């Protein structure tokens, strides 16, 4: 794994009466990686992002950008970050080009017109860049916001809920832009509540709850089990044979019947290597199998499993 471009260690934010709204959060992001920051409302995602970009002060902990500590050289670190926290702000009566020019004037280093043209092409706003922003759709405004964040050539892009208000086409376009940026070596930290979209967009996700980091998952390994490749498989048979199939499975101690879908599909938890044997068992019993589908674990399922488990633990601790 390459050196971390963003290194967060033991981040904590304490507010009135000593309450920690972010506590002991540590994670790293690598070059060209899209890292998702997930969590239910109030988990501390936006507070964490605000501390990273310097909008609010950290109570403790450290933030390093490309090996430089934010406390030791904040100006160098901030030059490496492009961010959209909440909704990007524009002058609606000005064109997209004029908005980018205005933003470029505030940059520490000069931004050339050539650089602006390259960014406009990247976010595919060439045909609308000289139109007034008030005519832009939400998706176009989001793309213009990404363009603003990229003007000063940052190595890290930080986006807080960038898909808010976007239609499916706009979300797909944003996903494609971020992947193109990743291919160019730009790393992106993105927070969102759209779990299915995050599964498609990200290389890896970290999950927060109640101010703490509770899990880290590589998307490509989401469906891999540590229990000798235990998996979930759906076997579809005739409705009039479902009870016979159910009895056959319940007689096998190595297979767990999770539930029955639509009165004709048994959803089973079993070892991957035993799928052919189970199918053979059905056939030998005269049960017609019309479809076999391995069900992949989704990010949403894992997220809900983690947060629900922790909530139940909290309830039990209170009761005890």
């Amino acid at each position: 794994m390459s050196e971390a471009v963003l290194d967060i260690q033991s981040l904590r934010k304490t507010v009135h009466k000593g309450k920690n709204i972010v506590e002991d959060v540590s994670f790293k992001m690598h070059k060209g990686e899209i890292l998702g920051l997930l969590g239910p409302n109030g988990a501390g995602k936006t507070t964490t992002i605000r501390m990273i970009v310097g909008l609010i002060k950290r109570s403790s902990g450290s933030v390093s950008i490309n090996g430089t500590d934010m406390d030791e050289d904040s100006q160098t670190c901030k030059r490496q970050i492009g961010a959209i926290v909440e909704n990007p702000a524009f002058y609606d009566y000005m064109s997209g080009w004029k908005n980018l020019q205005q933003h470029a004037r505030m940059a520490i280093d000069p931004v050339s017109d050539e650089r602006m043209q390259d960014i406009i092409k990247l976010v595919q706003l060439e045909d609308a860049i000289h139109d007034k922003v008030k005519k832009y759709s939400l998706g176009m405004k989001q793309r213009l916001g990404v363009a603003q964040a990229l003007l000063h050539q940052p190595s890290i892009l930080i986006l807080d809920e960038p898909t808010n208000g976007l239609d499916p086409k706009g979300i797909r376009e944003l996903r494609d832009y971020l992947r193109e940026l990743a291919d160019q070596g730009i790393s992106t930290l993105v927070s969102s509540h759209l779990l299915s979209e995050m599964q498609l967009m990200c290389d890896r996700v970290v999950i927060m709850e109640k101010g703490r980091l509770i899990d880290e998952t590589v998307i490509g390994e989401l469906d891999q089990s540590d229990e000798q490749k235990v998996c979930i498989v759906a076997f579809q048979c005739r409705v009039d044979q479902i009870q016979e199939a159910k009895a056959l499975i319940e007689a096998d101690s190595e297979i767990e019947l999770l539930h029955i879908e639509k009165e004709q599909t048994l959803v089973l938890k079993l070892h991957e290597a035993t799928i052919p044997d189970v199918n053979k068992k059905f056939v030998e019993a005269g049960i017609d199998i019309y479809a076999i589908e391995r069900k992949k674990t989704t990010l949403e399922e894992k997220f809900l499993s983690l947060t629900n488990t922790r909530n139940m633990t909290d309830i039990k601790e209170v009761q005890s």
Side-chain angles (χ1 to χ4, degrees):
M1 182 67 72
S2 61
E3 182 182 349
V5 295
L6 173 65
D7 189 352
I8 309 302
Q9 293 296 322
S10 303
L11 214 60
R12 180 170 59 88
K13 180 61 179 177
T14 304
V15 290
H16 59 282
K17 297 183 179 179
K19 180 182 178 181
N20 291 329
I21 54 176
V22 171
E23 186 171 0
D24 196 29
V25 169
S26 301
F27 60 84
K28 296 180 180 182
M29 183 169 66
H30 302 274
K31 184 176 181 178
E33 180 180 39
I34 301 177
L35 177 64
L37 181 60
L38 305 181
N41 290 337
K45 304 187 301 297
T46 297
T47 300
T48 298
I49 286 175
R50 285 175 172 271
M51 285 191 284
I52 292 172
V53 300
L55 290 177
I56 59 174
K57 188 176 180 180
R58 289 168 272 130
S59 298
S60 63
S62 65
V63 175
S64 294
I65 309 295
N66 291 313
T68 301
D69 189 285
M70 181 76 80
D71 290 333
E72 294 178 1
D73 191 347
S74 63
Q75 190 174 61
T76 296
C77 287
K78 289 177 180 178
R79 283 177 176 173
Q80 298 298 313
I81 299 174
I84 301 177
V85 182
E86 298 175 347
N87 294 321
F90 306 108
Y91 298 103
D92 282 349
Y93 61 90
M94 290 167 52
S95 68
W97 177 264
K98 292 290 187 182
N99 270 275
L100 289 182
Q101 281 186 321
Q102 183 67 17
H103 193 77
R105 292 189 188 103
M106 296 185 288
I108 296 173
D109 298 318
V111 178
S112 67
D113 285 356
E114 183 180 2
R115 171 64 182 170
M116 288 175 58
Q117 293 286 5
D118 288 343
I119 293 299
I120 291 164
K121 183 177 180 180
L122 176 64
V123 300
Q124 297 180 16
L125 279 176
E126 303 104 302
D127 294 337
I129 196 61
H130 295 293
D131 294 340
K132 291 184 178 180
V133 171
K134 65 182 179 182
K135 296 181 180 179
Y136 282 18
S137 66
L138 284 172
M140 293 167 70
K141 287 182 178 180
Q142 200 65 273
R143 279 185 272 162
L144 187 61
V146 172
Q148 281 191 168
L150 291 173
L151 276 181
H152 61 289
Q153 296 183 294
S155 59
I156 297 172
L157 188 60
I158 297 179
L159 307 177
D160 186 19
E161 298 287 355
T163 56
N164 274 355
L166 296 186
D167 60 16
K169 182 175 182 291
I171 293 173
R172 171 65 182 271
E173 289 173 349
L174 177 65
R175 186 204 314 157
D176 291 342
Y177 301 146
L178 295 185
R179 181 50 57 194
E180 186 172 345
L181 292 174
D183 292 341
Q184 296 179 16
I186 297 175
S187 309
T188 302
L189 175 65
V190 54
S191 78
S192 176
H193 63 281
L194 298 178
L195 298 179
S196 59
E197 182 55 38
M198 292 291 269
Q199 185 167 352
L200 293 172
M201 182 185 295
C202 300
D203 301 305
R204 185 164 56 96
V205 296
V206 291
I207 300 176
M208 291 183 66
E209 187 179 31
K210 297 179 181 177
R212 289 181 173 271
L213 204 66
I214 62 171
D215 188 74
E216 182 177 324
T217 297
V218 176
I219 295 297
E221 299 175 359
L222 188 61
D223 198 42
Q224 296 179 9
S225 172
D226 295 330
E227 302 175 7
Q228 300 175 6
K229 290 200 171 180
V230 171
C231 58
I232 310 299
V233 182
F235 289 81
Q236 185 185 112
C237 63
R238 296 203 326 250
V239 174
D240 62 350
Q241 291 184 311
I242 195 69
Q243 292 305 318
E244 183 182 352
K246 180 174 178 287
L248 189 67
I249 291 303
E250 288 177 337
D252 192 328
S253 60
E254 294 186 0
I255 304 173
E256 181 182 353
L257 174 61
L258 298 180
H259 60 273
I260 295 175
E261 291 180 352
K262 301 178 182 178
E263 299 184 352
Q264 68 179 67
T265 302
L266 296 102
V267 180
L268 311 178
K269 183 177 181 180
L270 42 67
H271 290 270
E272 184 179 59
T274 65
I275 294 174
D277 294 332
V278 173
N279 184 48
K280 183 179 179 181
K281 185 179 294 190
F282 283 134
V283 172
E284 290 176 344
I287 299 171
D288 298 324
I289 299 298
Y290 290 87
I292 301 175
E293 177 190 3
R294 177 169 173 171
K295 290 183 169 290
K296 293 187 176 181
T297 302
T298 66
L299 182 59
E300 181 179 32
E301 289 168 343
K302 179 162 188 177
F303 177 83
L304 292 175
S305 173
L306 285 168
T307 54
N308 287 343
T309 299
R310 287 173 62 85
N311 287 337
M312 288 305 298
T313 300
D314 291 343
I315 291 171
K316 289 178 181 178
E317 288 178 350
V318 170
Q319 291 176 339
S320 61

